[in-house]
Amino acid sequence: MTDQPTYPPFPDYAQEDIDALVSFIQARVKPLRDAARYDSEDFKAFQALLDVTVHLKGAAQSELKRGDSPSLEFHHLALVARQWDDHADFLPAWKPYG
């Protein structure tokens, strides 16, 4: 056995990294939500996804304020963003973390 961790640690992320992911996801989801009927399950699902992005952004801000890296929040946002990995605005740096 070695003292080396099994997985390399996540890099440190800045608020700008989180903001880029949130903006990317919201730009994809808001038009879908806006096109859905207000009382439909699709609308509710799209709105929930938008709400989660806002929550993760806030959690990341709290992590950074404490001096910690928002790596978990980044991972969750990258996982969502990866659904559009064929989009021109998708950053390749997000792919390994999703």
Side-chain angles (χ1 to χ4, degrees), residues 33-48:
R33 190 245 356 237
D34 293 346
R37 253 187 22 252
Y38 180 75
D39 60 348
S40 71
E41 293 300 313
D42 289 341
F43 181 90
K44 293 174 189 176
F46 295 137
Q47 185 60 52

Side-chain angles (χ1 to χ4, degrees), residues 5-63:
T6 305
Y7 299 102
F10 285 108
D12 286 335
Y13 298 107
Q15 188 64 49
E16 294 79 22
D17 300 317
I18 300 296
D19 291 345
L21 277 163
V22 168
S23 294
F24 177 81
I25 295 166
Q26 289 182 350
R28 313 281 88 65
V29 176
K30 281 182 180 179
L32 298 172
R33 190 245 356 237
D34 293 346
R37 253 187 22 252
Y38 180 75
D39 60 348
S40 71
E41 293 300 313
D42 289 341
F43 181 90
K44 293 174 189 176
F46 295 137
Q47 185 60 52
L49 184 54
L50 291 170
D51 292 345
V52 167
T53 62
V54 171
H55 171 78
L56 288 169
K57 182 177 179 176
Q61 288 170 339
S62 294
E63 293 284 335

